Amino acid sequence: MENKSKPERGVGFRMANVLVRFLPLLALCVGGTILSVFGSWRVVSPVSSMALLGMTVDATDISLLNELRGNHALNMGFGLLAWLALWRKELRSQALIGLTFCFGFYLTGRLVGVAIDGLPNADIQSGILTEAFLVTLSGLALLANSKTGPK
């Protein structure tokens, strides 16, 4: 009986097969790391993390600090889900959807901000480019995972 579960490494094997299998793992690793690291840093220390971006946060405004921590805890959670999905195949589709939506809506919000408020500083502009790359990576990884993921 012929084993059809593994790709044959003969004439039919292509680099595209490797990319389709590797892309979701890359997106989960990169996206999960960025969201987990920056999310947790901004939960623990929102004043210093925003100062790195050239923004001043009033350390006495408890409501603002609470709002920043709450929003960034969501990022931290998506990052941890992405890391967990590296080992749990059944979570990969949901984690990739989460990454795609998270980075996609970040990018959307930033572009709306540019349209309404004008161009932000260089650090935020590099964030816009990074988020454009990450939403593309996550979206492509989601498509690749739909071809190889659990059915």
Side-chain angles (χ1 to χ4, degrees):
M1 181 177 265
E2 189 176 329
N3 183 3
K4 296 188 185 235
S5 64
K6 293 184 180 179
E8 192 167 319
R9 294 196 176 253
V11 177
F13 184 75
R14 296 181 303 163
M15 190 63 180
N17 294 335
V18 174
L19 276 178
V20 165
R21 295 191 186 281
F22 178 69
L23 202 57
L25 299 176
L26 178 67
L28 291 168
C29 187
V30 172
T33 300
I34 288 172
L35 289 175
S36 295
V37 169
F38 284 102
S40 60
W41 181 28
R42 290 176 179 162
V43 166
V44 172
S45 183
V47 175
S48 68
S49 66
M50 297 312 232
L52 182 69
L53 296 172
M55 294 182 265
T56 304
V57 175
D58 182 5
T60 62
D61 189 345
I62 303 302
S63 297
L64 176 61
L65 293 175
N66 189 282
E67 189 65 22
L68 287 171
R69 285 187 168 107
N71 287 324
H72 292 293
L74 185 61
N75 292 342
M76 184 176 63
F78 273 121
L80 294 175
L81 174 63
W83 278 353
L84 184 60
L86 287 169
W87 289 275
R88 304 292 306 235
K89 285 185 178 184
E90 63 272 12
L91 294 176
R92 285 191 186 154
S93 290
Q94 293 89 341
L96 288 167
I97 290 168
L99 288 178
T100 304
F101 273 88
C102 189
F103 290 123
F105 285 120
Y106 253 115
L107 181 62
T108 301
R110 292 199 194 271
L111 293 175
V112 168
V114 168
I116 294 173
D117 306 322
L119 207 56
N121 67 30
D123 291 329
I124 302 298
Q125 289 177 40
S126 68
I128 291 170
L129 293 176
T130 302
E131 287 153 4
F133 168 76
L134 290 170
V135 73
T136 303
L137 176 65
S138 299
L140 290 173
L142 183 60
L143 289 173
N145 189 67
S146 70
K147 294 180 182 195
T148 62
K151 305 293 183 232

